[in-house]
Amino acid sequence: MLSEKTRDIRGKTRKAHCKRTMRILNIIFPVIVLGCALALGVLGVRSFLSVVADEGLHLATPGFTKVQILKPGDYVLWNQVKTVQNGTFRTFPDEVPDGTKVEIIHEKDGSTVPWKARVGMRQTSGVSRKVSLGTVTFTEPGNYGIAISMPPEEGRSFSIEPSKFPQPFLSAIFGLLAGIFLGIGAVIWLGAAIILMFVRKATAGPKESVAPPQG
């Protein structure tokens, strides 16, 4: 049978071990959370840049462009009003010339895909800027042709790309915000754990020597 003193010594030893373990975990956990926050922040930044920077597929203006739609869904027709062409920065009016017509044809059966004029959406990336012409919904993947007729105007540039609002845009914003808040929480947690560790060391009295248990 263990004596009462031996049981007391072993109990104190277990408590001291548990405290050391908790102090170590209080350092490790916020570091892991901080790493996750950085990863979320990086993914959020990359997603946000891809949402803003992608200029989509350029269309011949005037002319006919074949496009392959791999994923059904909503797409946006853009008018590139500030863009770099052949190494030269070009600026165009937000409004398209009178008489401009856009026709979208499904090559499978020659049917016309309706699109809705929608102005007001704007997107800027660096020196580039574009405004929306309209939106179109592709109900199935396949090959399509986009015919654009307009009065001769040198350099006018249109493009089409999948709609990034709201889901992709919100996903990018969520990643950024989640990374920021997790990072702030992890830094506060880590700082508090380190401060508490030093405070405990500074206020701790001299260590009591403990004799090894007998029998």
Side-chain angles (χ1 to χ4, degrees):
M1 298 292 294
L2 296 176
S3 66
E4 183 177 347
K5 183 176 181 181
T6 300
R7 289 196 298 270
D8 185 57
I9 292 172
R10 290 188 174 180
K12 289 182 178 179
T13 302
R14 285 194 295 270
K15 288 181 179 179
H17 177 71
C18 290
K19 288 181 178 180
R20 285 195 298 269
T21 302
M22 289 302 299
R23 286 196 291 269
I24 293 173
L25 292 178
N26 277 335
I27 299 296
I28 293 176
F29 281 164
V31 170
I32 294 175
V33 173
L34 185 59
C36 294
L38 290 174
L40 279 174
V42 170
L43 290 175
V45 169
R46 292 182 62 181
S47 298
F48 186 79
L49 291 178
S50 67
V51 167
V52 174
D54 187 11
E55 294 187 352
L57 177 65
H58 287 274
L59 306 173
T61 53
F64 182 85
T65 306
K66 290 185 177 182
V67 297
Q68 184 179 26
I69 301 300
L70 300 177
K71 185 178 180 181
D74 295 331
Y75 285 68
V76 180
L77 290 165
W78 291 104
N79 174 22
Q80 307 282 345
V81 295
K82 291 184 178 180
T83 185
V84 177
Q85 296 179 352
N86 300 321
T88 303
F89 183 73
R90 303 292 303 274
T91 301
F92 303 97
D94 287 7
E95 298 78 14
V96 296
D98 292 336
T100 299
K101 294 182 180 180
V102 178
E103 186 178 17
I104 303 173
I105 303 168
H106 195 168
E107 289 191 355
K108 181 179 72 173
D109 54 12
S111 60
T112 300
V113 180
W115 65 282
K116 296 179 181 179
R118 183 182 177 186
V119 297
M121 291 191 296
R122 291 173 173 81
Q123 194 167 302
T124 302
S125 176
V127 297
S128 299
R129 180 172 173 269
K130 56 189 178 183
V131 297
S132 61
L133 290 172
T135 58
V136 55
T137 299
F138 293 103
T139 57
E140 60 178 302
N143 295 320
Y144 294 80
I146 300 179
I148 299 174
S149 59
M150 60 190 305
E153 183 176 346
E154 183 182 356
R156 176 69 72 165
S157 180
F158 291 171
S159 64
I160 186 171
E161 66 178 4
S163 176
K164 297 172 182 176
F165 301 93
Q167 185 175 351
F169 183 77
L170 292 179
S171 298
I173 295 298
F174 175 78
L176 285 172
L177 292 179
I180 290 173
F181 285 113
L182 275 178
I184 292 174
V187 169
I188 294 174
W189 185 1
L190 183 60
I194 293 174
I195 292 173
L196 186 60
M197 182 177 63
F198 281 107
V199 168
R200 284 175 176 171
K201 285 185 178 181
T203 57
K207 293 184 179 179
E208 179 182 356
S209 59
V210 179
Q214 302 293 328

